[in-house]
Amino acid sequence: MAVAFSILLARFVYLQVIKGEGYRHLSANNCIRLQSIPAPRGLIYDRNGALLVDNRPSFDLKIILKDATPVPETLSRLSRLMAVPVEELQEKIDSKSRRRKFKPILLKRNISRDQLAVVKAHAFDLPGVIIDVEPRRNYIHEKCAAHVLGYLGEINAGELKKGNFPDVRSGDAIGRDGVEKEFETVLHGKRGGRQVEVDATGRLVRVLSTVDPVPGQNVFLTIDLELQKAAETLLQGQSGAVVALDPATGDVLCMASSPAYNQDDFIGGISHEKWRVLQEDPGHPMTNKAIQGEYPPASTYKIVSAIAGLEEGVVNTHTSRFCSGRHKYGNRTYRCWKKWGHGDVDIFGSLEQSCDIFYYRVGEDVGVDTLAQYARGCGLGKPTGIELRKERPGLVPTAAWKKRRFGVSWQGGETLSIAIGQGFNLVTPLQMAVLIAAVGNKGTLYRPRILHSIQARQGEDPVEESPEITGGLPAGKETLRIVREGLRRVIHGKRGTARSVKIDGVTMAGKTGTAQVFSMKKKDRDRSKNEPLDYLLRDHAWFVCYAPVENPVIAVSVIIEHGEHGSTAAAPVASQVVKTWLDRIGYFENHEK
């Protein structure tokens, strides 16, 4: 008996004294646990307070291995009830390289209401299986402004190691594109937590204490939801982009890129099949064509050439040049788009009728490097600075650039192509919108902005961002007056290339453009008028405009890929966008009164 009691006493001492602290810690963890509460992301609104993106509850299926013993049997039951292969559930567990028995492991995100009911009904047969309710991103208007808003994606191990996201944990989603990415730190919020008591199977007994999460700040964008929808409807079935700006502030009123993608596909991880479809789509739906699409500006570039010619004194309002439809330079003949020519043309008529011959000669007189100086002064050849990443700079070629790039000298004939917006020239639709907006507001270049204001807490007044001036057009008042009058005649002149898109009661100014996709000999181009070209070989269609001429409230840039003619493909889209905006702000009602 003495030996037996000595053994028992020694065991008590070992458990209570030597191992006591460790067992007390295990005991506490078995009954009291800390649970993280994710913070809802901030909401995204349009300029008028219309909700674009919010959050809705997501029921996430998780398992705590410590409570799920025996794990194989629990997974087998769960597999039958959820109609999910047990191998898939096991794979989720095995994918966690650092499995902690007390930490929940995500098995399936955003289960349906029916699945939720099944799990709840069989809770006693599924020890360790829990349902976490977490906020899930909800893009209210499917595909609307997808390239502006962006999407979310789960953070990866490499990003976690860098420490750039201090309040983000494995399994959390972060912004991957657009506004969601650019304003991640504003939208994300701060997670909370709670201390809970659980029973032996991991079921909640009671909540001991709670620290509420801090929601992310709300963001108000400059875009107008209804105008955005109208632009996207006009682009439906076509590849291209529409950008509309407020010439007085640089606010982006709409930015549409077609085709678009569904942001909901990325929540919780996009499937391999859906990602493959997006990548193989010839329309490139993942590309924001408004800021990433680089195109020859075609005749819209004649705005730059006109400014350069007027400022350099090679043309003025008295200059008249004869267009026969052909221009001989060296041993090559350069043609006008109108094969029989425009006859005598002055600076106003050159813009109104988009005469190539007039601008061939401007290019000859000014030179490529001087043209490049004016193009850069007009905001081309560099990013505009909009608060969206991956913006492309376009290209303003010079003689030195060609020498560096190709190792050969610049040829004089290439300047002629540059002067009419062909050749090496590349611009984005946003750059052209900024340029035409500056012409409309009489010379001020604004940094286009997508962020209107930030609301720190619900109920507080949003703090508005201020417009930012980045410079002025390299043009004097008289030059701008001449160019503006020429652009007005494009729509309201008797021979204007866009006279068919006039809006009753509104004076507009604009410029058409038709950008060659590839070089084609005259005989082939003549034949194509009778035999339709392959879609991918057709010209791109451009149109830029602002309205009303007297005091512009909107400037629009439109590119329709392979639309062939700016006057018939792009101009009607821009005209309808202008009309929609003027209706939105009550312009017609006020002017009728």
Side-chain angles (χ1 to χ4, degrees):
M1 290 177 63
V3 171
F5 276 110
S6 296
I7 293 172
L8 288 173
L9 180 61
R11 185 63 177 169
F12 282 138
V13 171
Y14 176 80
L15 293 175
Q16 295 289 330
V17 180
I18 299 175
K19 292 290 187 179
E21 184 64 28
Y23 282 116
R24 276 193 295 274
H25 179 71
L26 288 175
S27 177
N29 276 337
N30 278 335
C31 64
I32 299 174
R33 294 179 184 169
L34 295 176
Q35 294 180 345
S36 175
I37 306 176
R41 284 180 76 86
L43 310 182
I44 303 178
Y45 298 87
D46 83 339
R47 65 187 297 112
N48 302 308
L51 193 57
L52 303 174
V53 186
D54 65 359
N55 306 297
R56 65 178 180 83
S58 172
F59 300 101
D60 296 343
L61 182 67
K62 298 181 179 180
I63 188 169
I64 300 174
L65 297 179
K66 173 64 176 66
D67 302 326
T69 53
V71 174
E73 291 183 17
T74 302
L75 289 181
S76 179
R77 288 194 208 100
L78 186 61
S79 173
R80 290 195 302 272
L81 293 171
M82 298 287 291
V84 176
V86 69
E87 294 81 12
E88 184 178 323
L89 299 175
Q90 187 64 52
E91 185 182 347
K92 294 286 187 180
I93 296 173
D94 294 340
S95 66
K96 300 297 180 182
S97 57
R98 295 180 60 191
R99 289 183 294 173
R100 297 180 182 178
K101 292 187 176 182
F102 292 101
K103 292 288 184 180
I105 296 175
L106 179 66
L107 297 178
K108 190 172 179 62
R109 196 185 297 275
N110 194 35
I111 64 174
S112 68
R113 299 269 178 177
D114 291 340
Q115 291 173 320
L116 171 65
V118 169
V119 172
K120 289 292 186 182
H122 295 81
F124 286 99
D125 299 323
L126 299 170
V129 176
I130 61 173
I131 301 293
D132 265 358
V133 182
E134 297 189 359
R136 178 180 185 266
R137 213 54 166 159
N138 179 38
Y139 298 94
I140 297 171
H141 310 278
E142 185 178 341
K143 292 189 177 183
C144 183
H147 297 92
V148 174
L149 298 173
Y151 60 92
L152 301 183
E154 187 174 332
I155 192 168
N156 58 48
E159 291 167 326
L160 281 172
K161 286 181 180 178
K162 290 180 181 178
N164 296 330
F165 304 93
D167 199 52
V168 178
R169 301 182 182 181
S170 178
D172 286 355
I174 58 174
R176 289 296 182 193
D177 199 13
V179 169
E180 294 277 28
K181 181 178 180 68
E182 190 64 30
F183 303 107
E184 170 65 28
T185 55
V186 173
L187 292 165
H188 191 77
K190 185 176 181 181
R191 75 173 56 243
R194 61 187 172 192
Q195 191 179 45
V196 299
E197 182 180 348
V198 297
D199 62 17
T201 60
R203 296 184 185 89
L204 178 67
V205 176
R206 59 182 173 135
V207 177
L208 301 177
S209 62
T210 302
V211 176
D212 292 328
V214 179
Q217 300 178 64
N218 297 332
V219 167
F220 288 77
L221 304 182
T222 59
I223 66 171
D224 179 86
L225 175 59
E226 296 307 316
L227 188 66
Q228 181 74 25
K229 287 182 175 180
E232 290 177 357
T233 299
L234 290 164
L235 283 177
Q236 201 163 10
Q238 305 179 95
S239 288
V242 175
V243 179
L245 302 179
D246 182 344
T249 61
D251 284 2
V252 178
L253 302 176
C254 77
M255 180 183 285
S257 179
S258 178
Y261 60 89
N262 191 341
Q263 302 108 301
D264 287 333
D265 290 341
F266 290 87
I267 298 175
I270 189 168
S271 68
H272 292 295
E273 178 60 24
K274 287 183 177 179
W275 180 249
R276 185 188 63 78
V277 170
L278 287 173
Q279 291 298 300
E280 294 178 359
D281 190 323
H284 305 290
M286 295 302 295
T287 299
N288 184 353
K289 295 180 174 67
I291 64 173
Q292 295 172 296
E294 294 177 300
Y295 309 91
S299 291
T300 61
Y301 189 85
K302 290 172 183 173
I303 297 170
V304 176
S305 298
I307 290 174
L310 289 165
E311 287 294 310
E312 292 297 310
V314 300
V315 295
N316 55 45
T317 54
H318 303 294
T319 303
S320 178
R321 288 175 174 167
F322 183 76
C323 170
S324 65
R326 299 182 179 187
H327 178 68
K328 187 76 172 177
Y329 185 85
N331 60 356
R332 182 177 172 183
T333 299
Y334 291 80
R335 301 178 183 277
C336 186
W337 70 267
K338 190 175 183 180
K339 67 178 182 179
W340 51 86
H342 293 97
D344 289 319
V345 179
D346 63 6
I347 184 66
F348 300 113
S350 71
L351 289 169
E352 177 185 353
Q353 301 177 64
S354 197
C355 177
D356 292 333
I357 303 301
F358 188 95
Y359 288 99
Y360 288 149
R361 297 186 61 181
V362 170
E364 278 187 73
D365 295 338
V366 173
V368 64
D369 291 336
T370 301
L371 275 174
Q373 291 176 10
Y374 281 95
R376 291 197 188 96
C378 290
L380 306 183
K382 57 188 176 183
T384 64
I386 192 171
E387 313 107 308
L388 294 174
R389 304 188 188 190
K390 303 178 183 177
E391 183 186 8
R392 300 292 298 170
L395 175 62
V396 173
T398 63
W401 168 84
K402 186 187 176 188
K403 189 70 175 177
R404 288 194 307 271
R405 178 69 176 80
F406 298 104
V408 294
S409 299
W410 188 267
Q411 301 299 311
E414 292 174 312
T415 306
L416 276 62
S417 295
I418 295 298
I420 64 166
Q422 298 292 163
F424 297 113
N425 277 323
L426 291 175
V427 298
T428 67
L430 179 60
Q431 287 174 332
M432 293 309 297
V434 171
L435 169 57
I436 197 65
V439 174
N441 67 32
K442 299 181 181 178
T444 302
L445 287 165
Y446 283 97
R447 175 175 175 259
R449 62 172 187 167
I450 202 74
L451 176 65
H452 183 273
S453 55
I454 295 175
Q455 183 184 42
R457 291 180 182 84
Q458 199 72 32
E460 293 185 1
D461 291 333
V463 179
E464 186 173 346
E465 298 291 305
S466 300
E468 180 183 338
I469 296 174
T470 58
L473 292 177
K477 290 183 179 179
E478 179 61 12
T479 292
L480 281 174
R481 183 193 70 79
I482 294 168
V483 171
R484 284 165 57 88
E485 172 58 21
L487 297 180
R488 185 195 68 81
R489 294 186 186 185
V490 169
I491 297 172
H492 298 279
K494 292 181 180 179
R495 298 182 180 180
T497 55
R499 60 188 181 276
S500 63
V501 299
K502 284 186 288 191
I503 301 173
D504 292 340
V506 183
T507 306
M508 294 172 58
K511 187 70 193 78
T512 54
T514 301
Q516 283 186 313
V517 173
F518 78 111
S519 180
M520 187 164 54
K521 294 180 180 179
K522 179 182 180 297
K523 61 179 182 179
D524 295 326
R525 190 165 286 276
D526 289 341
R527 187 175 69 247
S528 71
K529 293 177 181 178
N530 301 317
E531 301 174 13
L533 279 172
D534 181 88
Y535 172 76
L536 294 177
L537 300 180
R538 298 174 190 173
D539 298 336
H540 296 322
W542 274 103
F543 190 67
V544 296
C545 68
Y546 59 87
V549 167
E550 307 80 22
N551 186 25
V553 295
I554 186 171
V556 181
S557 169
V558 176
I559 178 78
I560 304 295
E561 292 182 357
H562 311 295
E564 294 196 280
H565 304 293
S567 58
T568 57
V573 172
S575 177
Q576 194 58 45
V577 169
V578 170
K579 187 175 185 301
T580 300
W581 182 244
L582 295 180
D583 276 331
R584 293 278 294 154
I585 64 175
Y587 175 85
F588 297 108
E589 294 177 9
N590 294 332
H591 281 71
E592 283 177 4
K593 293 177 182 178

